[in-house]
Amino acid sequence: MCDEHVAAQAWNDAFEACTAEAGQGRAIAQRRLAVLYLEGRGTSRNETFATKFFTDAANNGDVESMFQFAVSLERGRGIKKDQSAALRWYTRAGDGGHAAAQYALGQAYERGRLSAPKDKRQALEWYRKAADQNFGDAANKVRDLSR
């Protein structure tokens, strides 16, 4: 029901259904509930609750939530900033095939961000994975760093 209410943009019903399903440990419902909190749909906007449910879903194997949790850790969105933990969660999401996480990892290794060492080889590897999924300007990054 959670997905159906979200698709119908019936936010109050979505919040209720997603809360119930999230309580049953369903990762997709946990992610949907996190987004409802993040955007303030069907409930008050609350980044702390959003991050809590992204964390739950990430721990239940949801790759999109791994990426969102990494973003929360990087930016301090609803949780204390932790660059090392952000790098670990981006890596888990990237290993799970999440193109935006792969691109973020390419940037991290290219620039030495998020406690990652500057490492052109690692950056290229992550950019290539993102480029294989036609993500953003990853193909340009691969070309530029391959020179």
Side-chain angles (χ1 to χ4, degrees):
M1 294 300 295
C2 171
D3 284 341
E4 293 169 16
H5 292 304
V6 169
Q9 298 182 0
W11 303 122
N12 291 333
D13 292 336
F15 180 76
E16 194 173 305
C18 293
T19 299
E21 291 178 28
Q24 297 169 357
R26 296 184 181 163
I28 300 300
Q30 291 166 333
R31 175 172 24 107
R32 299 261 191 263
L33 185 57
V35 172
L36 293 174
Y37 274 117
L38 191 61
E39 297 176 353
R41 295 180 187 262
T43 188
S44 299
R45 189 174 187 283
N46 188 317
E47 289 184 338
T48 301
F49 286 164
T51 297
K52 179 241 184 285
F53 286 105
F54 280 134
T55 305
D56 291 349
N59 284 321
N60 282 326
D62 183 67
V63 176
E64 175 64 27
S65 295
M66 292 175 192
F67 172 74
Q68 291 298 332
F69 184 47
V71 170
S72 294
L73 288 162
E74 178 182 3
R75 297 180 183 167
R77 182 181 75 186
I79 195 169
K80 184 180 177 196
K81 283 184 180 184
D82 186 335
Q83 303 301 294
S84 295
L87 182 66
R88 286 192 305 274
W89 280 101
Y90 278 128
T91 302
R92 286 183 70 182
D95 286 341
H98 195 281
Q102 294 166 343
Y103 187 84
L105 287 161
Q107 290 180 315
Y109 285 103
E110 179 183 9
R111 300 176 185 161
R113 294 181 44 246
L114 302 176
S115 74
K118 278 190 175 184
D119 185 330
K120 182 179 174 181
R121 184 190 60 75
Q122 283 267 62
L124 262 169
E125 182 180 321
W126 286 113
Y127 282 137
R128 279 189 181 111
K129 289 178 181 184
D132 287 346
Q133 297 184 65
N134 299 312
F135 185 83
D137 70 340
N140 292 334
K141 292 286 194 176
V142 169
R143 187 188 66 241
D144 293 345
L145 287 178
S146 296
R147 294 178 187 176

